[in-house]
Amino acid sequence: MLIVYLTRVLVTIVLVFSGSVLAAITIAPLLPSTGAISYAAVEVHDRSIYLRIRDIDRHIDRQLVSQPLANGVASWSPDGERVVYTAFTRSGLHIEMLHIRSGKTVRLTDQTSLIGWRGWRSHEWSPDGECIAFTRDGDVFLHCFANSHTRQMTDRGINHFVTWAPDGQHLLFTSTRDGTTDLYTLALANGTERQITMSGVAKTAPDYTPDGGSVVFGTFFRDMGQIMRYDIDTGDVQQITESGRGFSPTISSDGRYMVYGVPSAQTRWDIYVMELATGHIRVVTAFPGEELVPIWVPLP
């Protein structure tokens, strides 16, 4: 993980990889960083997928996990001390958790996906860091660390791209149960489900704003993607990208920035960051291959 300590004196950035220090770089003091992201990097030659981490403003970029991943989807604990991802193992595909400081890994699932790597589509930490929600083979599951119990939460339609509401009491996910891929919420207290979007355009990868007041998500139609914002109170939907080629948005913890993927060429993807208040966009690509599914890394 990229651990950044900002002080008035020189700053040392320590990069930890599999329990050992990769580098310690002393730099002059800088203004507070926009933040760090992790992302899936696809090797140009062998098409292997690796999880990398990048400090956006300081242009420091390193590989985080040693082995190739199944699909590059990752999720960070709220304290930034652990990351979960889907890994290839000798027994198949599993969700694993890496402890950043120690470099130790723990397998969280005891069952492989039934339909290969596409069966694992997302996993997301609860706001209190006590559970993760994930999707496998078209259903949503909940795994809590206190009892190491995994519970299936859905049984209708094909369900993907699960995330948590900031209140920790609801899950948000995409589902095809009514014919098209729309967004649904699930109340954990009583299992009540509610459809919150209704249109013929497929929805992907939703993410809440930190205040819980709105949701950003991708749409996909005829090989084109847009990122939209849904207002929880009013139900209004607003388009917030203009390129027609935005996918997998996530919002920074301060609500100021959105990071997302954009296909820039036939075989290449780049990572963009938008300042939501101004709409200002910049490209933060560093890896020479494809960069996919970027997410914000919590800073200590």
Side-chain angles (χ1 to χ4, degrees):
M1 172 184 175
L2 191 62
I3 305 172
V4 183
Y5 298 93
L6 295 173
T7 65
R8 293 181 181 271
V9 297
L10 293 181
V11 181
T12 297
I13 299 178
V14 179
L15 297 166
V16 179
F17 172 60
S18 297
S20 63
V21 175
L22 277 181
I25 306 170
T26 301
I27 61 173
L30 297 171
L31 294 174
S33 171
T34 302
I37 59 170
S38 66
Y39 63 95
V42 183
E43 292 283 357
V44 175
H45 301 295
D46 63 7
R47 308 301 295 170
S48 295
I49 303 173
Y50 292 94
L51 184 63
R52 298 184 67 89
I53 186 168
R54 176 171 175 80
D55 184 291
I56 291 174
D57 293 334
R58 296 177 179 83
H59 309 294
I60 300 171
D61 192 282
R62 293 292 187 274
Q63 186 171 310
L64 184 65
V65 179
S66 57
Q67 74 268 35
L69 305 189
N71 56 16
V73 177
S75 177
W76 289 82
S77 60
D79 60 8
E81 294 293 333
R82 294 163 290 171
V83 61
V84 293
Y85 51 88
T86 306
F88 286 112
T89 69
R90 292 181 178 179
S91 59
L93 302 176
H94 296 274
I95 294 179
E96 291 187 347
M97 177 172 64
L98 170 67
H99 292 264
I100 299 301
R101 293 185 185 274
S102 69
K104 295 181 179 179
T105 60
V106 177
R107 182 177 297 175
L108 299 183
T109 57
D110 57 6
Q111 180 182 355
T112 60
S113 170
L114 300 178
I115 57 177
W117 71 266
R118 294 180 183 276
W120 303 102
R121 294 299 293 271
S122 65
H123 23 71
E124 184 77 16
W125 289 81
S126 60
D128 61 8
E130 298 297 324
C131 303
I132 62 168
F134 63 92
T135 57
R136 182 183 67 207
D137 299 328
D139 276 306
V140 176
F141 292 80
L142 185 65
H143 177 92
C144 293
F145 300 107
N147 55 17
S148 298
H149 178 65
T150 300
R151 181 163 50 119
Q152 183 172 335
M153 306 300 294
T154 59
D155 59 7
R156 294 191 299 133
I158 299 175
N159 310 283
H160 290 315
F161 300 111
V162 65
T163 191
W164 290 78
D167 64 10
Q169 302 301 311
H170 297 81
L171 297 177
L172 174 68
F173 57 97
T174 65
S175 180
T176 63
R177 63 191 58 190
D178 288 320
T180 59
T181 304
D182 275 298
L183 302 183
Y184 291 76
T185 60
L186 170 67
L188 295 176
N190 55 22
T192 300
E193 296 178 350
R194 183 170 71 94
Q195 183 176 352
I196 65 171
T197 62
M198 300 179 187
S199 73
V201 180
K203 319 298 188 304
T204 66
D207 189 44
Y208 278 94
T209 54
D211 62 6
S214 58
V215 172
V216 295
F217 59 92
T219 61
F220 187 76
F221 181 69
R222 294 182 178 176
D223 297 327
M224 299 293 287
Q226 295 283 10
I227 296 176
M228 316 293 286
R229 176 159 37 197
Y230 170 85
D231 188 285
I232 298 293
D233 292 332
T234 66
D236 292 339
V237 178
Q238 175 191 11
Q239 181 177 314
I240 57 176
T241 54
E242 299 297 335
S243 66
R245 301 175 71 83
F247 298 88
S248 299
T250 62
I251 304 295
S252 60
S253 60
D254 59 10
R256 294 179 60 194
Y257 301 100
M258 179 178 70
V259 63
Y260 56 101
V262 175
S264 59
Q266 185 175 1
T267 59
R268 181 178 174 84
W269 285 67
D270 288 312
I271 295 172
Y272 284 44
V273 170
M274 175 187 289
E275 187 174 12
L276 293 173
T278 64
H280 178 259
I281 297 172
R282 56 178 164 152
V283 183
V284 296
T285 295
F287 189 71
E290 294 182 44
E291 299 84 17
L292 305 168
V293 287
I295 59 171
W296 294 99
V297 178
L299 294 177

